[in-house]
Each structure stands twice: as C-alpha cells, then as structure tokens.
Amino acid sequence: MIATFPPLQRMLAAMPAHLHADAARRYARHEPVLYQRLASLYGERADFDAWFGDLMEAVGRLHAARPPALLALDAERAERPDWFAGQRMLGYSAYAQRFGGTLRGVAARIPHLRELGVTYLHLLPFLRARAGESDGGFAVASFDEVEPALGSNADLEDLTAQLRENGISLCSDMVLNHVADDHPWALAAVAGAPGMLDYFHTYPNRKTPQRYERTLGQVFPQAAPGNFSYVAALGRWVWTTFYPYQWDLNYANPAVFGAIAEALLGLANRGVEVFRLDSTAFLWKREGSNCMNQPEAHSLLQAIRAIVAIAAPGVLLKAEAIVPTPLLPAYFGSAAAPECHIAYHSSLMAAAWGALAEQDTELLRRVIAATPPLPPHASWLSYVRCHDDIGWNVLRGEAGGDGADATARLARISNFFAGADGGYPAGAPFQTSGAHAAHGSNGMAASLAGLERADNEPARQQALRRLLLLHGLALCFGALPVLYMGDELGMLNDYAFLARPERAIDSRWLQRPDFDDARLAQRHDGASLAGRVHAGLRRMIAVRQERPELAAGAPRALLDTWQAALLALARGPRFLFLGNFSGAEVRYQLAEGRWTDCLGGDARCGRITLQPWAMLWLEHSA
Ligand code: GLC
C-alpha cells in the first residue's frame, strides 16, 4: 500500500526546513477556509483528498522557490497589512507596449512615475498573447512567459526589482476567466489529449448553449455577439463570453483551479505584487442565471486568497468585477473568509461621468450613499478612465431610482459623450445598438471632458476644470486612485485604430494611444495644456499625500448642499471636498469657523461661490 501523507506534511516536505515554522502557522490559519471552499466545489470527487494533497505540495514547492527579497517583503507587509490603503498610494495603469515599447522601456519611465508620486504600476497584460488579435493581450497564450515582443522573463524580474527599489509595486493582470484559442490547453483539447476538453465548456450542438443564452447578457453585443462560438477544429460549440478566440475556463474541473493557482504563484515569484483578477464575476456558470457573481465564483476567489496567504502572503488580489454597486462588496469576502484586497469601484467612476453629463450629482450621490464602509485591510480602487469603456449598465439600479426609465436616462448620458447635439465631449458609443440604448462610452478622459473640441481659451479652461474635478473626486474619495496612462498629460483620443478593420469594431482603442513624449517634454511648461493638466494633478496629489483623512478607510460623509449640481464630501471633521458638476455658478454656505483652500492657499468663510465645474478642497480650523 502506498503511504499518503497529510497535505500539511506534503507542503512542508516541498520546502527547506527554515521556512517550515512560518509556513505551518499560515497553513493552520488559512487551511480551514481553503479546504472547505475547495471541498464545496470538488469534494464529491473520489480523488478529492489526493488532489488537495497534490495542490498543497505544489504550493509548498512554489513557496520554496520564492526569492529571499520577496520573502523579506512578505514579512514586512505582514507587519503593515494596510500598506496599500494609505493616502500616499497612487496607481498608474498602462499598456507596456504603449508606455515604454518593451518592459525595459517601461523601466526607463520610472523617473516619470516617481515624479508623479506613483507607488503602484498596473501594466496591462504582458504575458505571451495570442498570435494575431488578442484583445489587447487579454487572450493569454502562456502564463509562464512574457510576450516576446515586450521582452523576457528575466526582463520582468529586472523590472519588478527596479520598481521595488523605487517604492513601486507591480500589478499584473491574471486573466483567469479564459485563455486564448492558441494556449497549449486549447491546442491540446483540439488535438484530443485526454482530459483537456474538460478545461473548457464545450457542447456538441446549440441546444444547451441556447438554454443558457436565455438568461445571459452580452459583453460585446456587436463585436462578438452571443456567448458561444463554433470551433470547427473541435466540431463543438465553446463558451466564449468575450471574443470567440477567448475560451472560458471550466472551473468545475479542479485541474483548472490548480493550474491557475500555480501560474499565479509563479508570477508572484517573479516579483508581481498585485494581481488584477480579470473578469472575476464570470468564473462560474449556472443555468437560469446571468452566470455572474455566483456563490461558487466567490468560493474560488476565497480559495485563491487562502493559497496566496499561505505561499506569497505579501501579495494582493484586486477584483475586476464590473458589477452593480450592491454586488461589489462581496468581492472583499468576510473577516472569516477574505477574498480580494482591492476592488474597482466602477459605479463611482461611471456616476461621476454621468454627473457631468446631467449637470446633476444625483447618480453620484446614490452611488456614494450605497457604498458601504470598507472592511479592515481593504481598499476601493478609484479611477477616471481606464483602457476599457465606461460601462453604463452598472448604474441601472441607481439610474432607475424613483421610477425613472434607466435605459432612457443612460442612453441620454451615452449620447452626450458621443458628442450629440454639439456638446463638448469627443467620445464614441461602445457596443450600443442605437440612440435609445446604452452600453458603454469610449474616449480619453481629456477628449470626453472637452479638451479635444475646445478651440478657444475659455473652452479649454472649462475642459480642464471638468477633467481636474473628476480626478479630484477620485483622489479624495477614499480609495487607491489609479491614473490611466496619458491622462496626466491630457492626451487625446487616438483614431488610428479605425484604419485596421479587425480593430475598427472595438472603439476602446480610442483610449489606447502611444505615450506622447512631446507632451511629456511640456509637462513643466505652464503655458501648454499638458503642463496645465500635469501641474493641476501634481498639486492635488501632493496635498493628498499629507492628509491621512484621505486614506482609503478613513471616514467619509456626504453633506447636503441643496443644489443638484454640487457635491460635498466630508472626510473627517476637517476636510471638505466641494465639486460643481455644472456649467453654472453655485453658492454654498460654509459652516462656522476658518476654512483654508488646500489647493490655492486662500482663506474662505461664509457664503462662497463655485465657478462652473470648479472644485475646492477645504480645511477647517476652529
Ligand atoms: C476585462 C478587461 C478587458 C477585456 C476583458 C476580457 O474586462 O479589462 O479589456 O476585454 O476583461 O478579457
């Protein structure tokens, strides 16, 4: 008979003795949730316990491979579990190719990031991508290999080390919902390798897919309609939530979970400190549902969190769950079973743009009021723009409040950003079927805020105010604010994608320009637009860095302003953010006492006036 060892022993046997005590302690703490969650998903399989033992052995092996510098970082972070929630944290998100050409080119941009105050860099997918179109790298062909056009695994390790020396944590996407159709798993399935078809959701005909489709939504209703694609090489229908070449993984198969967990730990060992868990909401399929936010998806995430807590405890998980506000907090998990450390607040982002369009902060106030306090050691992620569209669907609940027609309301907002009726934005609708429907809007922040169309100084000034107003809210909200590449210089839309037919259907490419070195060179020139945006942002970032009440978890309160266009957000008893989301002046009565304008330095008191789209950061002193 073959002796079987308990999972803990198998894990420890895979690592050197000096790591045992700490690893065993972490195992004792996290194994109950890990085991329970995995047993709830896979426990009915006869080989479950053996599989769990194999998994723990792999976890032990990957922990043993963790370089000393990262073990030291793990220890340091264990002392300061809130390290990412402070007011000095600032993120930046970019495509490696657009920002620096290669990973080495990205390293050469570190001085620029440092000048801005960046402490966290999210590089969009940089692993080997599908040959041909790859959804900007979100169709991953290898989890263990850097995209050759961007460099090598050694370049990645050099980059993470250099970033770390400069106080910047690298965040990498972990695309865990799907792989590319030329990923070895997909190729093996096509080749008929035993067990590989079971890595995916495939069907011999349209019958089952059609049943699912009854309740499924569509992410790209125009560019990639439906959720299933016929793959001739397989002679089967494959579940493809996004593009047909992105095959959804089947997490009902424990082998998929194990392979993804190992891939994640492998990347962590190369120095990735934060994982953006892409499309987290879609991981589990259930007939009769929209196959989003299923309890099993949360179990999977809690299991991944437990594995990370055991084997790479300094690493953070970030949920990219673009879901309505009430469904968002679940992605933090609970105190007993934590899930992600950070979650995108996409409703906040979308509602801020909505407030500009409506010149009314009602949507924004609803979203803020519905945002619960953060659990310990967690943070929202706030942002103005990212590489994706501004998705309006997350706001359906808020937009339909008080019996309003949510679709019509969101369609008006979407049309506004498409520049309808000669408005200031230069944006494009995304996957929207007509003037009466809303899906998403695309465009660089500066273009949406009016800078692209502004042809005179007053118009430029107003566009700048709108832009800084949105950044100001993201910086004051109580979150990890992440700037999107080029926004710090007011970069505009890039229309080059229209010339490539395979991209023309996806207007998200509008906001994926090459980094503009000419604008970068102007950043200290106060007469240039790039310089004005950069200076405005730098000023706010510098003030934020000195104000602990702006940290992610510090209290926040919405104050009544009695004016639809004016948002008043108090952070603690002494700090007040005021933002006028309209093109008309608004007045506001300050509470008794002395107030100082933190951005401008002047004293304020009594009844004050905010110019169109103006913002104030005020400090109260008795
Ligand atoms: C995420 C990414 C998006 C991509 C999708 C599919 O939503 O942000 O760019 O298209 O996942 O991977």
Side-chain angles (χ1 to χ4, degrees):
M1 202 176 110
I2 304 167
T4 51
F5 293 104
L8 171 62
Q9 278 184 31
R10 291 191 60 189
M11 180 183 90
L12 295 180
M15 59 178 79
H18 73 274
L19 297 175
H20 284 190
D22 282 345
R25 191 178 37 74
R26 291 195 301 269
Y27 181 88
R29 179 154 167 222
H30 300 289
E31 185 270 351
V33 167
L34 176 59
Y35 186 86
Q36 196 284 327
R37 295 302 184 270
L38 293 177
S40 75
L41 297 168
Y42 312 122
E44 293 195 344
R45 296 182 174 237
D47 61 351
F48 173 72
D49 281 315
W51 172 80
F52 187 71
D54 292 347
L55 177 70
M56 293 323 296
E57 185 179 317
V59 166
R61 191 170 23 81
L62 283 153
H63 182 60
R66 203 151 163 74
L70 298 177
L71 290 172
L73 195 66
D74 289 340
E76 197 186 293
R77 301 256 152 101
E79 298 293 312
R80 290 188 304 127
D82 281 329
W83 66 274
F84 58 96
Q87 76 279 6
R88 293 188 159 266
M89 282 296 288
L90 178 71
Y92 190 92
S93 173
Y95 284 98
Q97 194 271 336
R98 302 299 205 189
F99 187 40
T102 61
L103 293 188
R104 285 180 187 209
V106 169
R109 299 278 189 206
I110 290 176
H112 172 58
L113 298 175
R114 285 200 53 144
E115 187 184 61
L116 276 171
V118 168
T119 59
Y120 161 110
L121 172 63
H122 166 215
L123 281 186
L124 285 144
F126 52 77
L127 295 176
R128 189 155 72 75
R130 176 180 188 269
E133 275 309 298
S134 66
D135 189 18
F138 280 98
V140 175
S142 167
F143 290 110
D144 313 315
E145 222 182 308
V146 164
E147 162 61 35
L150 295 174
S152 63
N153 287 350
D155 291 340
L156 173 60
E157 288 169 26
D158 281 350
L159 174 64
T160 58
Q162 284 188 59
L163 288 168
R164 238 178 5 258
E165 276 165 32
N166 284 282
I168 302 174
S169 299
L170 183 72
C171 168
S172 161
D173 279 276
M174 185 72 211
V175 183
L176 71 179
N177 178 67
H178 45 264
V179 293
D181 59 359
D182 61 359
H183 185 285
W185 301 340
L187 296 178
V190 169
M196 292 314 293
L197 206 53
D198 206 24
Y199 271 53
F200 305 99
H201 300 273
T202 73
Y203 308 91
N205 54 46
R206 288 281 290 155
K207 243 171 89 185
T208 309
Q210 266 161 2
R211 281 206 319 269
Y212 275 106
E213 286 284 19
R214 281 186 211 136
T215 49
L216 285 173
Q218 297 194 55
V219 182
F220 303 143
Q222 291 174 339
N227 290 274
F228 299 87
S229 306
Y230 184 71
V231 176
L234 275 180
R236 295 176 75 86
W237 290 85
V238 177
W239 197 307
T240 55
T241 299
F242 296 89
Y243 279 105
Y245 52 73
Q246 289 165 306
W247 294 12
D248 285 36
L249 287 167
N250 172 19
Y251 278 92
N253 176 359
V256 168
F257 176 86
I260 288 292
E262 286 187 41
L264 187 148
L265 292 181
L267 281 166
N269 285 351
R270 298 194 191 282
V272 172
E273 295 184 37
V274 185
F275 288 93
R276 174 186 183 274
L277 301 180
D278 183 64
S279 313
T280 40
F282 295 90
L283 301 182
W284 196 267
K285 320 297 187 197
R286 170 168 283 109
E287 206 183 314
S289 78
N290 64 357
C291 297
M292 291 177 77
N293 311 298
Q294 297 299 303
E296 291 85 349
H298 288 290
S299 294
L300 287 163
L301 295 171
Q302 287 162 20
I304 293 176
R305 169 73 178 259
I307 286 178
V308 165
I310 293 169
V315 161
L316 302 180
L317 303 178
K318 170 171 75 167
E320 192 242 354
I322 308 304
V323 300
T325 322
L327 298 174
L328 211 43
Y331 287 87
F332 289 123
S334 64
E339 216 162 282
C340 293
H341 302 79
I342 305 174
Y344 279 84
H345 203 327
S346 77
S347 311
L348 178 74
M349 178 278 296
W353 286 105
L356 272 190
E358 297 189 322
Q359 304 200 38
D360 185 319
T361 59
E362 198 250 355
L363 271 178
L364 196 48
R365 278 182 283 118
R366 276 187 196 269
V367 167
I368 296 174
T371 302
L374 284 165
H377 319 314
S379 176
W380 300 111
L381 185 150
S382 61
Y383 58 122
V384 173
R385 285 299 287 116
C386 71
H387 66 291
D388 282 331
D389 57 308
I390 305 171
W392 301 116
N393 284 322
V394 292
L395 294 179
R396 285 196 171 275
E398 288 91 353
D402 298 333
D405 176 346
T407 304
R409 186 171 177 189
L410 295 173
R412 276 196 299 276
I413 294 177
S414 170
N415 291 336
F416 175 75
F417 286 110
D421 305 325
Y424 59 75
F430 181 57
Q431 307 292 313
T432 303
S433 51
H436 304 294
H439 190 86
S441 293
N442 284 316
M444 288 294 282
S447 297
L448 294 176
L451 219 45
E452 186 172 323
R453 290 203 170 157
D455 54 8
N456 57 64
E457 179 48 26
R460 277 193 286 275
Q461 206 177 63
Q462 296 196 335
L464 279 169
R465 281 201 197 143
R466 291 188 283 259
L467 196 56
L468 292 176
L469 172 61
L470 295 192
H471 283 298
L473 177 63
L475 289 163
C476 286
F477 179 73
L480 163 60
V482 177
L483 302 172
Y484 182 60
M485 186 206 85
D487 282 352
E488 75 277 30
L489 302 168
M491 281 180 59
L492 305 175
N493 289 343
D494 178 4
Y495 294 93
F497 78 102
L498 290 170
R500 294 177 59 169
E502 67 288 5
R503 289 199 176 164
I505 48 165
D506 190 336
S507 59
R508 291 178 302 168
W509 289 98
L510 265 184
Q511 60 257 10
R512 299 171 181 179
D514 281 327
F515 189 69
D516 186 341
D517 278 296
R519 279 181 183 255
L520 179 67
Q522 294 173 338
R523 73 194 181 284
H524 297 307
D525 171 2
S528 71
L529 278 174
R532 288 160 77 181
V533 176
H534 192 263
L537 259 176
R538 275 295 306 135
R539 179 92 198 102
M540 291 192 284
I541 293 165
V543 170
R544 177 175 181 269
Q545 285 174 338
E546 302 307 322
R547 304 208 66 103
E549 67 265 67
L550 296 184
R556 149 187 350 105
L558 262 182
L559 306 185
D560 277 332
T561 65
W562 316 113
Q563 287 160 98
L566 183 62
L567 186 80
L569 195 64
R571 301 298 315 273
R574 295 184 54 201
F575 185 90
L576 181 63
F577 168 93
L578 287 177
N580 176 5
F581 282 77
S582 77
E585 283 184 359
V586 295
R587 298 199 198 321
Y588 183 75
Q589 180 67 41
L590 289 170
E592 290 284 298
R594 271 173 48 86
W595 292 86
T596 313
D597 173 353
C598 304
L599 299 172
D602 323 343
R604 303 285 177 122
C605 65
R607 201 166 162 74
I608 57 169
T609 301
L610 281 96
Q611 297 298 311
W613 296 294
M615 157 184 64
L616 280 171
W617 292 20
L618 294 169
E619 175 178 24
H620 187 246
S621 48

